[in-house]
Amino acid sequence: MSSASFDPVAADAIAEPSPSREELQEAIEQLMAFRDRIVSDVTGMGQKLKMPQQQVAFTLSQHPELQRIESVLAQLQLQIAELA
């Protein structure tokens, strides 16, 4: 005997309207500004600590928050492309 369970979180996700192109673009702009601020902060700290540029670049490439932002940006850009 199999019973289907009701998942209120999934139901809410289905019931909510998709974001508009403008909302997606605004989210992209905000994430890009946040990403740029992180890059600026890390670069500034690297300069203050007189770290080699290669080490700063490596630190940025491995930064988990920057990686997550890039992933979300790619997803948002795909959503915008699907709206076209």
Side-chain angles (χ1 to χ4, degrees):
M1 183 171 158
S2 165
S3 68
S5 63
F6 178 72
D7 183 355
V9 174
D12 282 345
I14 293 169
E16 291 184 20
S18 297
S20 70
R21 182 179 199 87
E22 292 78 23
E23 290 169 325
L24 291 171
Q25 190 61 43
E26 183 178 333
I28 288 172
E29 290 170 7
Q30 290 174 355
L31 278 172
M32 290 174 73
F34 184 51
R35 177 194 60 194
D36 293 346
R37 191 169 70 235
I38 292 172
V39 170
S40 177
D41 289 349
V42 170
T43 302
M45 282 189 275
Q47 289 173 344
K48 285 181 183 179
L49 296 172
K50 298 183 181 178
M51 292 171 60
Q53 187 60 35
Q54 286 181 318
Q55 189 173 358
V56 173
F58 178 77
T59 300
L60 288 169
S61 72
Q62 300 300 310
H63 196 289
E65 194 143 359
L66 288 175
Q67 291 173 350
R68 176 72 179 132
I69 289 170
E70 291 300 331
S71 172
V72 172
L73 282 171
Q75 291 172 354
L76 292 172
Q77 289 165 343
L78 279 174
Q79 285 182 313
I80 284 181
E82 289 173 358
L83 291 176

